[in-house]
Amino acid sequence: MQIRDDGQIYLEGVSVEELASTYGTPLYVYEENRIRENYRRALSAFRKYYPDTRFFYAIKANNNLAVANILRQEGAGIDAASVNEILLAKELGLGGEDVMFSGNFLSDDDIRQGLESGVIFNLDDPVLLPRVLKYGTPELLSFRVNPGYGQCDIGAFVCNAGPEAKFGVHPDQVLGAYKAAKEAGVKRFGAHMMPGSSIRDPEYFGYVTGLIMDLIGKTSRELGIDFEFIDLGGGLGIPYKHENHVLDIDAAAAKMAGVFKQKIAEYGLKPPRLMMEPARYFVGDAGYIIGRVHTVKNSYKRIIGTDIGMNVLARPALYGAYHHIYVNRREAEERMPLNLCGQLCENTDLWVKDRPLPKGTTEGDLVVVENAGAYGFGMSYQYNGRLKPAEALVNGSKHYLVRRAETYQDLVALVNVPEYLKK
């Protein structure tokens, strides 16, 4: 993103005014070249310290197939949290060991379809293993390990490791999980963890890598099994607030790879592939929302009413997430504390409170929300009859519609009213 001398905001080489005029608002927009830069920067850093590194893209963060295809072109596999995300990977031409299925609290139908798909099965808990074996024995099996500690820079609600997380095998159960899998006839093994969410401290990544490597090293030694890969998860953070520092990706890679190699030597492991599944780091800061101011209300507070509500961007209302906001052509103006809301009949839709924004913000202005590429559109929903927005992709001076906005017909397309209720 750039702000030019006349105050116009551009995403790559396209003005937000052109994008809003072409596709309407609210509108999600993704910068293709930023996604590619993020991926290449991270992969280069990790392969510098551990050449046998492979990235999988956690497609839950942004499941637009145009975005996912960018990352597929760069060489990423897919981390799928559901059977439908396995099918999305298939749409990308990916399957087998290019896809990892990391669902949690799976139904029997999830398990059956996951096995039939032939992807890497990554089990969230050993209690699932007997249910998996009812349908077949995976050739390659991984367990998602809760390393016993987690960290998150954006709130406890999204910390997905440690005692408060619902995910992963308890550290005391890891050995037993792999022992049961070996006795059941599984021949090939991997391991997985999530270190936390949106972390920007390189030291932490080294620490948490040590936790899982100790668990896996002891398991390998005790059971006499080799691990083909160890997936260190995602968690590579981005700075949502401008005063936050950027993650030093080279330092993080050096810390993780250094501990990885140290523990391989300590436990005499056959060197496994180092895998990771970032998503926010790839797409988070490449995505924006363009919205329009429709009403300015002066009451107990000055409230800027836009078409960006919590139905369009759920994160602030859901767990207090921060997103920086710009007002097109007004960024050089004097500022005052303003409030910003959407159009929903919920007070939590007042999702920006007392934020210093351009004082002259008024009807017709375009607002641009930053860092919306991850967990933005994918968490949007229909409420009050408001529909999901369109998505666009920019590449230099070119732009493309990559998902149309919903219409009223989409709102009612799946509804069936029994005939007797129509009388």
Side-chain angles (χ1 to χ4, degrees):
M1 192 199 85
Q2 57 178 309
I3 302 175
R4 299 197 176 174
D5 291 343
D6 62 357
Q8 272 225 71
I9 296 173
Y10 278 73
L11 303 180
E12 293 206 14
V14 187
S15 73
V16 296
E17 291 179 359
E18 180 178 346
L19 290 164
S21 174
T22 304
Y23 305 114
T25 61
L27 174 70
Y28 275 88
V29 184
Y30 310 113
E31 295 182 319
E32 177 177 340
N33 288 298
R34 181 65 177 176
I35 295 171
R36 294 188 188 276
E37 289 166 8
N38 289 342
Y39 183 91
R40 292 171 186 177
R41 182 190 316 111
L43 187 63
S44 175
F46 275 88
R47 284 188 172 170
K48 179 168 72 171
Y49 297 104
Y50 197 86
D52 189 13
T53 294
R54 175 86 192 276
F55 282 162
F56 284 54
Y57 169 54
I59 199 170
K60 60 180 172 284
N62 186 322
N63 67 10
N64 190 292
L65 290 174
V67 171
N69 265 302
I70 294 168
L71 293 162
R72 177 195 58 78
Q73 286 183 342
E74 293 294 328
I78 292 294
D79 175 76
S82 69
V83 170
N84 283 330
E85 289 188 348
I86 295 175
L87 295 177
L88 287 175
K90 188 176 180 180
E91 290 282 343
L92 300 169
L94 296 177
E97 293 180 19
D98 286 326
V99 180
M100 179 178 284
F101 182 28
S102 299
N104 64 98
F105 294 89
L106 300 175
S107 70
D108 280 5
D109 200 44
D110 293 328
I111 291 170
R112 179 183 56 78
Q113 292 185 66
L115 274 175
E116 289 173 355
S117 73
V119 302
I120 300 172
F121 222 125
N122 185 37
L123 291 184
D124 187 65
D125 194 85
V127 74
L128 292 170
L129 182 60
R131 292 171 55 205
V132 170
L133 295 173
K134 288 193 305 182
Y135 297 98
T137 303
E139 179 186 353
L140 172 60
L141 184 68
S142 171
F143 283 99
R144 176 173 179 159
V145 176
N146 186 327
Y149 186 78
Q151 189 178 99
C152 179
D153 284 0
I154 51 178
F157 285 111
V158 283
C159 191
N160 44 29
E164 298 303 315
K166 72 169 187 171
F167 304 105
V169 181
H170 188 283
D172 293 345
Q173 298 175 340
V174 171
L175 177 62
Y178 282 101
K179 181 179 180 182
K182 180 182 179 182
E183 291 174 350
V186 177
K187 304 297 184 185
R188 301 169 59 205
F189 298 93
H192 169 277
M193 74 165 177
M194 272 300 295
S197 189
S198 199
I199 302 158
R200 293 172 293 109
D201 176 11
E203 295 289 337
Y204 175 75
F205 284 109
Y207 168 73
V208 77
T209 298
L211 294 181
I212 187 173
M213 292 300 289
D214 281 335
L215 290 167
I216 296 307
K218 292 171 184 175
T219 298
S220 175
R221 179 184 288 172
E222 180 77 17
L223 299 179
I225 60 176
D226 292 323
F227 285 83
E228 295 189 13
F229 69 84
I230 299 177
D231 187 330
L232 301 180
L236 303 177
I238 62 174
Y240 281 93
K241 296 182 179 180
H242 284 193
E243 61 267 28
N244 294 154
H245 68 271
V246 174
L247 169 66
D248 184 336
I249 191 67
D250 189 84
K255 292 289 183 183
M256 296 181 90
V259 173
F260 200 75
K261 290 186 287 188
Q262 173 194 330
K263 296 297 182 181
I264 288 171
E266 180 180 335
Y267 291 102
L269 300 176
K270 181 180 178 181
R273 170 170 286 177
L274 189 160
M275 294 187 352
M276 290 194 74
E277 53 187 59
R280 191 190 315 269
Y281 188 84
F282 298 155
V283 300
D285 69 0
Y288 301 83
I289 309 171
I290 304 171
R292 192 174 296 278
V293 177
H294 291 296
T295 307
V296 177
K297 180 175 181 176
N298 291 292
S299 183
Y300 294 100
K301 302 177 179 181
R302 183 166 182 156
I303 302 174
I304 308 299
T306 77
D307 49 17
I308 303 174
M310 67 182 192
N311 61 310
V312 174
L313 181 66
R315 297 182 71 253
L318 189 62
Y319 42 73
Y322 177 93
H323 288 265
H324 195 80
I325 295 167
Y326 302 86
V327 182
N328 191 50
R329 295 187 182 273
R330 294 192 182 275
E331 284 301 300
E333 294 182 5
E334 180 185 353
R335 294 176 178 261
M336 67 176 291
L338 295 176
N339 303 270
L340 188 147
C341 74
Q343 300 167 307
L344 301 187
C345 296
E346 298 287 343
N347 214 41
T348 44
D349 196 37
L350 186 65
W351 60 277
V352 174
K353 297 181 179 179
D354 298 320
R355 181 88 60 87
L357 292 169
K359 188 175 181 179
T361 302
T362 191
E363 288 88 348
D365 284 348
L366 292 175
V367 298
V368 180
V369 180
E370 191 176 49
N371 291 325
Y375 309 102
F377 182 93
M379 294 170 70
S380 65
Y381 56 93
Q382 299 170 342
Y383 182 51
N384 284 184
R386 299 291 175 184
L387 304 172
K388 291 189 177 185
E391 294 175 287
L393 180 72
V394 292
N395 183 340
S397 61
K398 296 180 180 179
H399 51 90
Y400 309 88
L401 182 68
V402 293
R403 194 190 315 252
R404 66 166 175 81
E406 288 185 333
T407 66
Y408 172 75
Q409 285 69 36
D410 296 310
L411 186 66
V412 298
L414 303 180
V415 176
N416 179 62
V417 180
E419 286 299 321
Y420 79 93
L421 293 178
K422 298 177 182 178
K423 295 178 181 178

